[in-house]
């Protein structure tokens, strides 16, 4: 078979498509929000706002409620990410490196919580958490976030392990590396890019939870999406846009960085992950 | 120089399937190269992993110089594996790869530098310290993998089909290089291969493995010329085995009577084998000739292959010259006495492991 | 290498794990909801309700608002699924069958809309849809649903195409099958199980959208999740449970069927997809 | 019986890379089997795809029986491909697989049933109509794939390495079966292979491809004995090419003077080649012998390989018997005149396609 799949025009077209989608998805909404947030008078049918000012945006950032919500969001997403990686690494290793008959089944089941309406799961879990006294606490919110986050972490890590060759570890062992050295000097450098992507995925999925946080947090755990949605109900467009920008900017930056890192890695010749 | 002794090694992966290795005992003399020859599924790679210590046998013992190494974990056995895939760490330079084993032992910077240079000279790739593995050709990668393995001064070198992904010219050069280095350093080596020619060309002795059992453990010349059993003969490329009644230096087969070298063997049922290139076609009867019909002639370049019908058996004969006889003339295949050798019937399958 | 990965105990353990996770995820919440919906008096610390009756549940089903929401949900999810498959098939085919340098990048970008807070995207798109006059219509909701649904459809189809060998099509062509026959007699039978799973994924992702529907539907497109969330705000536990059950039951049934079909396919010897 | 004519076929995949096929012209006589022999990347599979019609050439024409088939789409060419992977449709039974080509043409149920039975008899697998592809062995799958291809009465049979995933015993039987069927039906066949022995054994003629260029198009015997160019000789396993001044039936090389069969060749610079198994080691000088030093002897079972130093060149000689001479005794390699043959220097790379 000839490698016509590596046709440069096709590759270039794919890269261009990627950039365009990336641009549209990341920059479009943020630009719109930025326009909203920095304007005071912007009504149909004007294409750009009549006046510009950063004052509303800065006012939003100075609000202690906003800062508290930012803290709660960072804390929840951070802890959730850490636990999800710890749980996901061994699971993804088994699922990615071994092939057994029920594998596709296990994967489907793993992913169910993301497919099954989160409302149904959230409410089912809420009954449990209420009885455990964890409802309304960060711990409870983290526990509930793990339900959709762990599958994402496993999914991201699966891709890494699908290309991971245990032979490197075997090789290192016979060269005299003890298990700890094998992990630090061989497995970690090989898995590093994939781990970073998985952490990013996990963080973002947790960061953007709204329904589950609301259900389990019961109005006591106020994360950014909760605050944002409250503002949406309130109806002040400038305040909404400010919060939305705050909410969307860190993920956008993180993703842009990850994409650049991945693109750089893709430019290098074959490594542990390509 | 380390002597390896394997005693009664058994290893099973699946509870109800036959074991990957059953009761294998082998000794490798210090400084020699033993080839483990077998098809996929013969257990040869399993044996290598057991010696390396990355897997443990269900039964039996593995000893280096008379001391069991079963309690020694893989990273302290100094038995280094080199795989078909060179497994050079992609995030390290060539020098860092070669120094890997020394670094995890805590060697000094100067020791590592000197050793890397020495090893690169040994594998005839001086001056490539700073290159990345991805910049090397397949053969160069294998040489670096070999250098990395030798840098820790291993007691035992374990080669798992190290040449099979290389094209034939590179493969031949690398085979010669490995043989030279192995002899120079006098390092006890196990080479796993499925390539008969490679095993015969490189090894001091060849162990023939088949479905987990050791069929033969011989010098290359003896194994090739006189495989001990039918199955071993088949694996060495012998296609003709004739069974008959042996009496007074004669084997009475269903195809005819052949003079054989009985050499004190008891009279009775016996099986004699002959290599396809040791038979010869003839136009007239002569001693040890059987009448045949030529079914097909195939030109394969280095040789001609003849498919013959003799009685109700088909024989395959290799010849270096075409057999030119008039069509419909009688044809005979000659089985020279000096090339007919006795083979044992195959041992029954090894007994199941006692529970 | 020995196939120790197909070790029967490991396989059985994995299958068992799968069943347990499946049971916990699917049946747990539904059981809890069923108890809620069929009870009138159930308060802490009782483990089971004091009284049982199906009357509230049946009353809920008879409500015309419930029926209208059910219709809107089915319509939206159905159309979205159809379009997502039509868009996803060619995209997944290219991404799954060709390997090029930027491939992992394109995949990451494709999946961004599911990772990036949907709120940010929804609000960005809302501005656009408002200007197009599509806000508040089923068409607008479908368009917005496509943003998270198409990537899921592509992801599901990617798995299919990763194991798809175009050689079968080549073979059929040289045997005399015209392009239409190649598609109907070869590609479709080979892709069928994967297509079904992709459709299921797409349907469920659309079916469970809440935030995007609310943002773009603007209170005019009332799907089941919207009604359910309104009921949650209202606070009548029996009504909530009834709606939640209605909402969770069809996906649960569909997933159970898909899992059984996949398990049956996994039991067969290697086919187009294993 | 269809005659295939390829004229000036060029096919490029990447704009700036050399073409996969450059200016290849070939004719295949009706009812014969042509083997396309080459390494991976030689363009042999591309050629097959062009004939099948699943790809189109950039330049050149493909004609069956004198009529161009370029305007005919793949599904109407009746040129069937059989691949290494049998590509039996897993959702159909063996019978449905074999009937596939007839069904898409709208054949009747009775026709299909009769044809399936006939084809299964032809490939010597009667009675397996109801089996599923997954229940068959690799060799059986290939036989069914062949039956399916033959069921549509193709004008041309295209075999793309159909035997290379089979083990050697099954491979040999299947090679014989395919050759028998091909001769029986008299179907024009192209066989793509990288296995020299397979090409020589099965083909009426062999086309040697190298990096997109046709190096030779000969009968197996002629191609093996007298490859026309240095590169062709190298691909046929010749390792010794001697360059020198030809005059009066003598070739003056840097190693010595050799009597060669000049056969009317003009005097001047010339290159002669010889196969490794046609050279012979000797203890005493004789005509056409060159003094050598034996660097290494390698036992490879069927033969011994000798690495020789002659002047500043290394030669490889294959012998069927070991060379036993006292160490330090002078050694000679004999290059018999009848086995030395002239080779052309390689043609320059084909000119780039005119824009």
């Amino acid at each position: 078979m000839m490698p016509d799949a590596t046709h440069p025009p096709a590759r270039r077209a794919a890269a261009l498509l990627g950039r365009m989608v990336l641009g549209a998805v990341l920059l479009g909404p943020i630009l719109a929000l930025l326009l909203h947030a920095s304007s005071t008078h912007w009504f149909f049918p004007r294409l750009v706002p009549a006046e510009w000012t950063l004052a509303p945006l800065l006012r939003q950032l100075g609000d202690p409620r906003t800062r508290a919500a930012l803290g709660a969001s960072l804390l929840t997403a951070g802890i959730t990410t850490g636990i999800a990686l710890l749980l996901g690494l061994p699971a993804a290793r088994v699922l990615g490196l071994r092939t057994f008959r029920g594998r596709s089944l296990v994967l489907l089941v793993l992913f169910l919580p993301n497919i099954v309406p989160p409302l149904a799961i959230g409410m089912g879990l809420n009954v449990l958490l209420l009885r455990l006294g964890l409802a309304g606490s960060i711990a409870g919110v983290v526990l509930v976030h793990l339900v959709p986050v762990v599958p994402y972490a496993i999914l991201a890590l699966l891709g890494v392990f699908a290309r991971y060759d245990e032979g490197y570890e075997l090789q290192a062992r016979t060269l005299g590396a003890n298990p700890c050295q094998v992990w630090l000097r061989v497995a970690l450098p090989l898995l590093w890019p994939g781990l970073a992507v998985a952490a990013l995925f996990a963080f973002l999925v947790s960061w953007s939870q709204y329904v589950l946080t609301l259900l389990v947090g019961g109005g006591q755990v106020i994360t950014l999406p909760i605050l944002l949605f409250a503002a949406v109900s309130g109806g002040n467009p400038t305040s909404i846009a400010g919060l939305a920008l705050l909410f969307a900017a860190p993920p956008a930056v993180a993703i842009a960085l990850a994409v650049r890192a991945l693109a750089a890695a893709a430019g290098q010749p074959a490594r542990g992950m390509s | 120089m380390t002597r390896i002794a394997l005693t009664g090694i058994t290893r099973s992966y699946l509870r109800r399937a036959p074991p990957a290795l059953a009761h294998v005992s082998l000794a490798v003399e210090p400084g020699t190269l033993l080839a483990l020859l077998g098809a996929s599924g013969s257990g040869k790679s399993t044996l290598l992993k057991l010696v390396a210590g990355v897997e443990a046998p269900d039964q039996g013992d593995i000893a280096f110089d008379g001391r069991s190494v079963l309690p020694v974990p893989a990273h302290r056995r100094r038995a280094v594996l080199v795989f078909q895939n060179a497994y050079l760490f992609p995030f390290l330079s060539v020098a860092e790869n070669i120094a890997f084993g020394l670094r995890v032992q805590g060697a000094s910077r100067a020791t590592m530098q000197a050793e890397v240079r020495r090893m690169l000279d040994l594998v005839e790739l001086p001056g490539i310290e700073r290159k990345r593995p991805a910049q090397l050709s397949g053969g160069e990668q294998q040489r670096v993998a070999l250098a990395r393995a030798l840098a820790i001064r291993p007691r035992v070198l374990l080669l798992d089909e190290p040449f099979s992904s290389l094209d034939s010219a590179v493969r031949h050069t690398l085979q010669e290089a490995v043989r030279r280095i192995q002899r120079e350093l006098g390092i006890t080596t196990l080479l796993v291969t499925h390539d008969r020619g490679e095993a015969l060309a490189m090894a001091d002795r060849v162990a023939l493995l088949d479905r987990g059992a050791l069929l033969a453990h011989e010098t290359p010349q003896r194994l090739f010329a006189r495989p001990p059993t039918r199955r071993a003969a088949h694996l060495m490329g012998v296609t003709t085995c004739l069974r008959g009644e042996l009496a007074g230096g004669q084997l009475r087969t269903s195809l005819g009577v052949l003079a054989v070298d009985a050499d004190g063997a008891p009279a009775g049922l016996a099986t004699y084998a002959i290599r396809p290139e040791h038979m010869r076609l003839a136009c007239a009867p002569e001693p040890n000739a059987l009448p045949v019909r030529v079914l097909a002639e195939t030109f394969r370049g280095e040789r001609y292959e003849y498919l013959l019908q003799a009685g109700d058996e088909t024989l395959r004969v290799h010849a270096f010259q075409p057999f030119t006889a008039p069509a419909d003339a009688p044809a005979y295949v000659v089985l020279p006495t000096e090339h007919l050798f006795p083979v044992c019937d195959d041992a029954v399958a090894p007994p199941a492991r006692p529970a």
Side-chain angles (χ1 to χ4, degrees), chain A, chain B:
Chain A
M1 297 274 171
M2 290 301 301
D4 60 350
T6 57
H7 213 301
R11 208 191 299 157
R12 246 180 281 129
L16 192 67
L17 175 80
R19 262 158 228 257
M20 277 169 55
V21 176
L22 184 65
V25 167
L26 281 183
L27 297 184
I30 290 178
L31 221 68
L33 291 172
L34 200 61
L35 284 175
H36 255 299
S38 57
S39 68
T40 44
H41 299 282
W42 186 21
F43 300 106
F44 191 81
R46 281 180 176 276
L47 272 174
V48 287
E51 285 175 50
W52 289 79
T53 163
L54 281 173
L57 197 58
L58 293 174
R59 205 185 314 128
Q60 194 70 56
L61 279 171
D63 185 337
R65 283 198 313 153
T66 309
R67 290 209 215 142
L70 189 61
S73 270
L74 286 173
L75 191 65
T76 313
I79 298 175
T80 306
T81 301
I83 298 178
L85 286 188
L86 284 179
L87 294 174
L89 259 176
R93 182 164 185 134
V94 169
L95 286 170
L97 292 180
R98 312 270 169 256
T99 47
F100 46 90
R101 247 177 47 182
R103 196 170 162 273
S104 59
L105 208 69
V106 173
L107 287 178
L108 179 66
V109 167
L110 254 178
F111 231 64
L112 278 182
N114 275 284
I115 305 294
V116 161
L119 271 173
I121 291 168
M123 281 189 294
L125 277 172
N126 201 19
V127 175
L128 181 70
L129 290 174
L130 273 170
R131 266 146 221 253
L132 290 174
L134 286 173
S137 71
I138 293 261
V141 172
V142 165
L143 267 179
V144 156
H145 278 197
L146 284 174
V147 174
V149 170
V150 167
Y152 266 106
I154 292 181
L155 188 81
L157 292 170
L158 262 187
V160 184
F161 279 111
R163 270 169 270 123
Y164 186 71
D165 189 336
E166 283 181 301
Y168 287 104
E169 297 188 7
L170 223 67
Q171 181 71 77
R173 278 167 73 193
T174 72
L175 286 168
N178 62 39
C180 177
Q181 287 169 324
V182 169
W183 170 247
L184 287 177
R185 289 184 180 274
V186 178
L188 210 55
L190 287 172
L191 293 174
W192 172 242
L195 271 179
V197 169
L200 182 68
F201 266 54
F203 186 89
L204 290 180
V205 171
S206 173
W207 176 268
S208 62
Q209 284 306 320
Y210 166 70
V211 174
L212 289 181
T213 312
L214 189 64
L215 270 173
V216 173
Q220 287 170 285
V221 180
I222 309 287
T223 58
L224 267 185
I226 306 276
L227 206 61
L228 175 57
F229 222 72
V232 170
S233 310
N236 174 357
T238 315
S239 160
I240 295 170
L243 277 170
L245 199 60
L246 193 60
F247 175 54
V253 169
I255 287 174
L257 287 178
V259 166
R260 281 193 61 181
L262 268 184
Q268 280 192 2
R271 287 182 55 149
M273 72 168 285
S274 67
Chain B
M1 301 224 285
T2 300
R3 186 177 192 280
I4 308 173
L6 306 174
T7 329
I9 295 291
T10 297
R11 175 79 168 103
S12 298
Y13 287 103
L14 303 174
R15 219 175 308 170
R16 259 166 269 166
L21 283 173
H23 309 289
V24 170
S25 295
L26 258 182
V28 191
E29 294 308 316
T32 64
L33 190 151
L34 173 75
L36 298 165
L37 176 62
S40 61
S42 62
K44 55 191 196 305
S45 288
T46 301
L47 197 58
L48 220 57
K49 284 189 194 149
L50 296 178
V51 175
V54 296
E55 288 186 12
D58 297 332
Q59 274 188 2
D61 191 35
I62 300 168
F64 291 178
D65 287 335
R67 286 179 76 126
S68 172
V69 292
L70 287 188
V72 182
H75 63 278
R76 294 221 192 84
R77 269 197 207 181
R78 290 174 58 207
V80 190
L81 271 164
V82 176
F83 296 96
Q84 176 181 345
N85 173 341
Y87 285 125
L88 298 182
F89 303 121
F91 45 87
L92 299 179
S93 70
V94 165
E96 288 164 338
N97 262 287
I98 296 176
F100 182 89
L102 300 170
R103 181 181 297 268
V104 295
Q105 286 169 23
S108 76
R109 203 182 174 76
T111 314
M112 290 196 287
Q113 265 183 2
E115 198 60 19
V116 167
R117 195 167 317 117
R118 245 177 52 85
M119 287 300 139
L120 281 176
D121 287 345
L122 189 67
V123 298
E124 296 168 323
L125 285 175
I128 64 159
E129 280 91 342
R130 288 157 168 276
K131 286 203 178 175
R132 290 269 146 187
Q135 295 172 278
L136 306 179
S137 71
E140 289 171 335
Q141 290 192 8
Q142 280 299 358
R143 281 174 194 261
V144 172
L146 191 67
R148 177 177 63 177
L150 295 171
I152 67 161
R153 312 278 162 117
R155 302 177 71 179
V156 174
L157 184 61
L158 305 169
L159 307 173
D160 193 350
E161 307 251 12
F163 314 114
S164 52
S165 62
L166 306 172
D167 71 42
S168 74
V170 180
R171 187 164 65 232
H172 277 72
T173 332
L174 206 59
Q175 283 171 356
E176 282 158 12
V178 167
R179 192 55 173 137
R180 173 183 57 75
I181 292 168
Q182 188 267 332
R183 287 213 173 113
E184 231 172 274
L185 303 182
I187 183 169
T188 313
T189 301
L190 286 176
L191 166 71
V192 156
T193 181
H194 68 273
D195 176 340
R196 196 159 69 210
E198 182 171 296
L200 296 173
M202 293 190 65
D204 295 303
R205 311 206 82 193
V206 178
L208 191 61
L209 285 170
D210 183 50
R211 289 174 239 162
L214 180 67
L215 293 188
H217 179 206
E218 284 287 1
T219 61
Q221 276 84 350
R222 250 201 91 66
L223 182 62
F224 186 78
R226 296 283 181 267
T229 69
R230 282 184 82 120
R231 180 78 191 151
H234 175 76
L235 292 173
M236 296 311 289
V238 174
T239 50
T240 305
C241 288
L242 297 168
R243 199 166 166 72
E245 193 74 35
L246 183 68
Q250 287 201 317
L251 186 73
R252 302 190 167 271
T253 74
S254 60
L255 308 178
V257 179
L258 296 169
V260 298
D261 188 356
D263 200 19
L269 269 180
T271 307
Y272 275 73
I274 186 166
R275 299 201 60 83
E277 66 270 27
H278 287 156
M279 289 184 272
R280 183 165 49 80
L281 283 165
C283 302
E286 51 181 291
N288 268 21
L290 304 173
V292 292
R293 202 157 56 82
V294 178
L295 296 180
E297 181 203 75
T298 307
F299 175 65
R300 288 200 178 263
E302 283 84 354
R303 59 173 192 255
Y304 290 79
E305 288 183 14
Y306 292 90
L307 190 64
L308 310 174
Q309 180 85 44
D312 41 317
E313 298 218 32
T314 56
L315 306 178
R316 280 174 195 275
V317 172
H318 297 177
F320 302 112
Q321 299 297 329
F323 174 65
T324 45
D328 294 330
Y332 298 88
V333 61
V334 183
L335 290 75
T337 300
E338 71 267 28
H339 288 309
L340 277 164
F341 59 91
V343 289
C344 306
D345 288 323
D346 296 294
V348 283
R353 179 158 67 101

